[in-house]
């Protein structure tokens, strides 16, 4: 009889947790807030309502966290709960959704949807900008808009670059004497040409210049393209630049023909 009365007097895990909580004046909601365990599961622990609790592993974990809040021994509570549940609970066979936190603390659905929409809008804008960059028609200037192409700012000489890099050739139209010197005065050629003789200015010459008494008797080509006469008929010409670029740019790039008495051949 004494053994039966002693067994009946033993408190269950739920009773021990509830009594410890009430003795400290702690509400069940306060325990739920600190442990992040739903209030309904804590209430089921206190009443030993095993059918309303999730799997034993989770239930034992709930009890241990609850015990820590109210000052009871976690390991002792866990061992006692396993003993109680092992003899009274039917094996759990149905899958359950465990919700360890209060749903009110979850991120609102409208905020999640807004974030997704914002990301999609940004991606759409970036895709549109990229398509405009790759579309030649979109990059073309509108009608009436000021031209901004490099052609409008490219010096006129740029269009003559192919000819300006060619060989400078002097061809005698009449017997003519001429002299070619480098910038430092070194003589490259002195002599007379007789039709149809030609003379090619060395490409390695440094700023070559020419002097002749009959510029009209010479035909000058740059890369096979004939350039205008370098001086008026009957007047000598000196210090005429034989650089391809200067010849192609025309008279403005050359010194004025020497003045004085007509040069006699």
């Amino acid at each position: 009889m004494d053994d039966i009365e002693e067994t009946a007097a033993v408190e269950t895990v739920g009773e021990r947790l509830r009594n410890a909580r009430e003795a400290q004046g702690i509400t069940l909601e306060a325990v739920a807030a600190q442990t992040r365990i739903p209030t309904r599961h804590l209430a089921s622990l206190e009443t030993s309502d095993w059918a309303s609790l999730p799997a034993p592993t989770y239930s034992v974990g709930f009890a241990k966290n609850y015990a820590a809040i109210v000052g009871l021994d976690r390991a002792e509570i866990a061992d006692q709960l396993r003993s109680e549940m092992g003899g009274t609970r039917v094996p759990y066979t149905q899958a359950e959704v465990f919700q360890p936190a209060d749903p009110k603390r979850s991120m609102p659905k409208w905020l999640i949807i807004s974030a997704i929409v914002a990301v999609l809008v940004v991606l759409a804008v970036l895709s549109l900008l990229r398509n405009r960059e790759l579309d030649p028609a979109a990059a073309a200037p509108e009608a009436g808009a000021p031209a901004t192409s490099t052609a409008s700012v490219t010096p006129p000489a740029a269009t003559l670059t192919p000819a300006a890099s060619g060989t400078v050739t002097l061809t005698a139209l009449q017997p003519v004497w001429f002299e070619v010197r480098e910038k430092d005065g070194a003589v490259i050629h002195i002599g007379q040409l007789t039709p149809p003789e030609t003379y090619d200015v060395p490409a390695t010459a440094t700023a070559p210049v020419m002097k002749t008494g009959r510029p009209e008797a010479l035909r000058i080509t740059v890369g096979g393209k004939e350039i205008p006469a370098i001086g008026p008929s009957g007047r000598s010409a000196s210090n005429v630049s034989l650089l391809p670029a200067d010849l192609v740019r025309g008279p403005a790039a050359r010194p004025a023909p020497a003045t004085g008495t007509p040069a006699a051949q």
Side-chain angles (χ1 to χ4, degrees), residues 8 14 50 91 114 214 249 252 259:
W50 312 133
S114 299
R214 300 178 62 192
R249 281 200 295 265
T259 58

Side-chain angles (χ1 to χ4, degrees), residues 144-157:
T148 57
S149 64
T150 55
S152 61
V153 296
T154 302

Side-chain angles (χ1 to χ4, degrees), residues 170 176-180 189-191 193 199 210-212 218:
L170 309 179
V176 58
W177 174 94
F178 66 93
E179 173 186 288
V180 179
H189 173 84
I190 295 179
L193 285 183
Y199 170 76
M210 181 185 67
K211 177 180 179 181
T212 181
L218 284 172

Side-chain angles (χ1 to χ4, degrees), residues 7-255:
T7 302
V10 175
E11 292 181 325
T12 65
V13 167
E15 291 172 343
R16 293 180 63 185
L17 292 172
R18 182 178 67 251
N19 292 337
R21 175 178 62 79
E22 292 176 347
Q24 299 182 40
I26 303 174
T27 64
L28 195 62
E29 289 73 16
V31 176
Q34 295 183 59
T35 60
R36 298 177 63 85
I37 300 172
T39 305
R40 65 178 184 276
H41 290 333
L42 297 178
S44 297
L45 277 175
E46 291 186 349
T47 59
S48 300
D49 183 7
W50 312 133
S52 300
L53 288 170
T57 301
Y58 293 129
S59 299
V60 171
F62 292 165
K64 291 170 67 176
N65 291 339
Y66 191 164
I69 297 298
V70 296
L72 297 179
D73 185 274
R74 290 166 51 91
E76 181 182 345
I77 290 295
D79 290 342
Q80 183 178 347
L81 182 61
R82 292 191 187 96
S83 176
E84 293 179 7
M85 296 182 70
T88 60
R89 185 169 185 182
V90 178
Y92 188 78
T93 58
Q94 182 179 1
E96 298 182 15
V97 177
F98 172 55
Q99 185 179 10
D102 190 343
K104 294 182 179 179
R105 296 176 178 266
S106 302
M107 184 178 294
K109 290 184 179 180
W110 67 266
L111 184 59
I112 298 176
I113 296 174
S114 299
I116 295 175
V117 171
V119 171
L120 293 177
V121 170
V122 171
L123 292 177
V125 172
L126 292 177
S127 177
L128 178 62
L129 293 177
R130 180 173 179 80
N131 290 337
R132 286 177 60 86
E133 291 177 358
L134 298 177
D135 186 2
E142 298 180 0
T148 57
S149 64
T150 55
S152 61
V153 296
T154 302
T159 59
L160 303 174
T161 300
S165 63
T167 302
V168 176
T169 302
L170 309 179
T171 303
L173 302 177
Q174 303 173 20
V176 58
W177 174 94
F178 66 93
E179 173 186 288
V180 179
R181 292 178 180 269
E182 288 191 331
K183 182 179 181 180
D184 60 1
V187 176
I188 301 175
H189 173 84
I190 295 179
Q192 179 172 310
L193 285 183
T194 302
E197 292 179 338
T198 61
Y199 170 76
D200 292 336
V201 178
T204 57
T206 303
V209 295
M210 181 185 67
K211 177 180 179 181
T212 181
R214 300 178 62 192
E216 73 279 4
L218 284 172
R219 182 179 66 189
I220 303 178
T221 59
V222 179
K225 181 179 180 180
E226 186 173 355
I227 67 167
I230 61 173
S233 176
R235 292 187 179 275
S236 62
S238 61
N239 295 327
V240 176
S241 174
L242 293 182
L243 289 173
D246 291 342
L247 291 170
V248 171
R249 281 200 295 265
R254 310 172 198 152

